[in-house]
């Protein structure tokens, strides 16, 4: 099995290798692709040491040529961040200056990220279709929903986007029910970072009522009375939709992107110096559950260990109020025959309008960005519940998509 990692020079890539080792995937080669030979070399050096220490014999290679990297790959992991953490810091900071929420995926921060990222995502999808047509693309690049939409339109490839937030939220739910996540079956639906649980089955009984009663224990930063009124358990990111003023007023100090950018500089210095002990101290401060999920997904698709995953996939009737071509986030069963999304059909009437509005926004935004249609960008932003204002939408487009 060959795995190609686009964005392989990221400082957290060694954690992916650790998960591959832990799961004991039958890997022959992991090729790390990135733009900078020096960064690739120091990341690969540590990864090779991890493989050697684990007694594995597969190859860790590097290549700055993306096409050469993906050739003959069975799986392609895309974890690019166009502009690096400095760009994320920008996406989170400039909305604050406009009196809006600064976040890397929500609202105008996510829009700014999309302007940089979507053209590259199109290139990657087309390259896979031409040079690695049998490969499966696993996307870890934000904004995941729009990245999947442009990939869908760019090429006919097998793909899914992974987000750890539903799985992390499910673990919290399991905690208050005092059960293991493996003993739960959930109905989950929505869009990336905009999802809801409305059925939680344990021992054949729906525990949603019990979870709603105890929802204040989940730590979602969303008013428990609102959650109970909705009748569903939302992801914590829904706080930005339901409590925007609180989110804005709580934006004090450096952005998350700024903090991570500083940490990554120190981590790269550790890699260059071979100070792996100190590097592991940084790893201990930030969990990377997405790598565990991705490796298990590869295992499921390879027929090693089938299971359930929260994935972004093409709708195809899963949510009956959205177009078939929409990208939705749902619970899926995955095995060697592929991804089998759990059909949803009707959803809670309280959340349907928001899902529909953001779906429309994302669909319009990604098309306008790829077509460099500035008027189309303004129209898309005016659909987003945070914006709506024509003058503000024009100002945002001038800021992140200059002529």
């Amino acid at each position: 099995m060959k795995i190609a990692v686009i964005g392989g020079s990221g400082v957290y890539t060694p954690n992916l290798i650790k998960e591959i080792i832990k799961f004991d995937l039958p890997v022959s080669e992991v090729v790390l692709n990135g733009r900078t030979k020096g960064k690739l070399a120091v990341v690969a050096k540590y990864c090779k040491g991890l493989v050697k220490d684990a007694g594995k014999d597969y190859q860790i290679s590097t290549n700055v040529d993306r096409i050469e990297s993906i050739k003959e790959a069975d799986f392609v992991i895309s974890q690019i961040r166009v502009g690096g953490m400095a760009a994320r810091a920008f996406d989170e900071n400039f909305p604050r200056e406009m009196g809006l929420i600064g976040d890397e995926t929500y609202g105008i921060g996510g829009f700014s990220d999309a302007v940089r990222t979507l053209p590259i995502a199109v290139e990657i999808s087309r390259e896979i279709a031409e040079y690695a047509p049998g490969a499966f693309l696993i996307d870890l690049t934000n904004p995941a929903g729009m990245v999947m939409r442009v990939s869908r339109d760019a090429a006919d490839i097998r793909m899914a986007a992974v987000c750890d937030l539903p799985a992390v939220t499910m673990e919290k739910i399991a905690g208050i029910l005092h059960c293991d996540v493996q003993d739960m079956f959930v109905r989950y639906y929505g869009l990336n970072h905009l999802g809801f649980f409305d059925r939680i089955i344990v021992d054949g009984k729906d525990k949603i009522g019990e979870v709603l009663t105890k929802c204040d224990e989940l730590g979602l930063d969303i008013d428990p009375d609102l959650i109970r009124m909705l009748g569903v358990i939302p992801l914590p990111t829904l706080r930005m939709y339901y409590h925007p003023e609180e989110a804005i007023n709580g934006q004090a100090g450096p952005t998350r992107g700024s903090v991570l950018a500083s940490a990554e500089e120190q981590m790269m210095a550790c890699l260059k110096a071979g100070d792996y002990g100190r590097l592991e101290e940084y790893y201990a401060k930030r969990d990377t559950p997405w790598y565990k999920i991705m490796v298990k997904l590869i295992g499921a698709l390879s027929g090693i260990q089938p299971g359930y995953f929260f994935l972004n996939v093409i709708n195809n009737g899963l949510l009956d109020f959205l177009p078939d071509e929409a990208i939705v986030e749902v619970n899926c069963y995955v095995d060697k025959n592929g991804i089998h999304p759990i059909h949803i059909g009707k959803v809670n009437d309280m959340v349907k309008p928001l899902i529909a509005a953001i779906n429309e926004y994302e669909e319009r935004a990604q098309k306008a960005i790829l077509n460099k249609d500035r008027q189309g960008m303004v129209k898309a932003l005016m659909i987003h519940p945070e914006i709506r204002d024509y003058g503000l939408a024009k100002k945002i487009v001038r800021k992140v998509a200059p002529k």
Side-chain angles (χ1 to χ4, degrees), residues 147-161:
V147 169
M148 280 287 291
R149 290 171 197 268
V150 300
S151 297
R152 169 203 68 198
D153 295 340
D156 183 14
I157 58 174
R158 297 186 300 154
M159 61 180 181

Side-chain angles (χ1 to χ4, degrees), residues 73-90:
D74 298 288
F75 295 92
V76 177
I77 294 172
S78 178
Q79 58 173 21
I80 63 171
R81 186 181 291 278
V82 181
M85 274 296 173
R88 173 176 173 173
F90 169 80

Side-chain angles (χ1 to χ4, degrees), residues 358-376:
I358 298 304
N359 176 74
E360 183 69 15
Y361 154 73
E362 289 194 352
E363 200 65 52
R364 287 174 176 260
Q366 63 93 1
K367 289 178 180 176
I369 289 169
L370 290 185
N371 292 325
K372 298 182 179 179
D373 176 4
R374 296 169 63 80
Q375 187 176 75

Side-chain angles (χ1 to χ4, degrees), residues 79-347:
Q79 58 173 21
I80 63 171
R81 186 181 291 278
V82 181
M85 274 296 173
R88 173 176 173 173
F90 169 80
D91 294 340
E92 295 172 341
N93 189 61
F94 87 87
R96 292 185 181 189
E97 298 171 356
M98 295 183 173
L100 300 172
I101 296 171
D103 184 82
E104 68 163 332
T105 60
Y106 171 85
I108 65 174
F111 179 79
S112 175
D113 188 4
V115 169
R116 293 190 308 273
T117 304
L118 297 190
I120 310 301
V122 168
E123 291 178 7
I124 291 171
S125 299
R126 289 175 176 167
E127 289 167 359
I128 291 172
E130 183 171 357
Y131 299 100
F136 193 103
L137 170 63
I138 301 176
D139 177 63
L140 191 63
T141 298
N142 283 322
M146 281 198 270
V147 169
M148 280 287 291
R149 290 171 197 268
V150 300
S151 297
R152 169 203 68 198
D153 295 340
D156 183 14
I157 58 174
R158 297 186 300 154
M159 61 180 181
V162 168
C163 179
D164 61 284
L165 193 54
V168 171
T169 305
M170 186 173 172
E171 288 176 358
K172 292 181 178 180
I173 293 171
I176 66 173
L177 291 176
H178 305 291
C179 69
D180 193 281
V181 292
Q182 301 302 321
D183 299 325
M184 300 168 59
F185 180 81
V186 301
R187 196 174 94 134
Y188 170 85
Y189 56 81
L191 309 178
N192 182 238
H193 287 189
L194 202 162
F196 305 87
F197 296 85
D198 72 354
R199 289 181 193 166
I200 301 165
I201 310 299
V202 181
D203 295 331
K205 297 180 180 179
D206 191 350
K207 299 286 187 177
I208 186 67
E210 181 179 345
V211 177
L212 288 169
T213 300
K214 300 178 179 179
C215 65
D216 55 314
E217 299 176 27
L218 293 173
L220 301 178
D221 278 340
I222 299 173
D223 192 311
D225 289 335
L226 170 60
I227 294 175
R228 285 187 277 267
M229 182 183 75
L230 292 172
V232 293
I233 302 299
L235 295 182
T237 41
L238 268 294
R239 177 176 184 265
M240 293 180 285
Y241 293 97
Y242 293 140
H243 303 300
E245 287 191 21
E246 290 182 14
I248 291 170
N249 293 335
Q251 297 182 136
T255 65
R256 177 68 170 157
S258 298
V259 173
L260 290 174
S262 177
E264 289 196 1
E265 287 183 10
Q266 298 300 315
M267 294 167 74
M268 183 54 69
C270 292
L271 283 162
K272 290 178 178 178
D275 189 350
Y276 302 137
R278 187 167 175 229
L279 177 67
E280 288 296 335
E281 292 177 5
Y282 280 102
Y283 287 149
K285 295 176 183 178
R286 188 192 185 201
D287 194 17
T288 52
W290 49 87
Y291 286 138
K292 184 175 184 179
I293 294 169
M294 282 198 304
V295 169
K296 285 187 173 182
L297 178 60
I298 292 172
L301 288 166
S302 301
I304 299 169
Q305 186 176 314
Y308 287 93
F309 297 84
F310 300 106
L311 300 174
N312 287 263
V313 296
I314 298 175
N315 185 35
N316 284 334
L318 296 171
L319 296 182
D320 59 10
F321 63 97
L322 293 182
D324 282 348
E325 67 271 16
I327 298 297
V328 297
E329 189 169 85
V330 295
N331 198 11
C332 304
Y333 182 72
V334 182
D335 60 17
K336 65 180 180 180
N337 296 315
I339 294 174
H340 314 283
I342 307 303
H343 180 75
I344 302 298
K346 295 185 181 300
V347 306

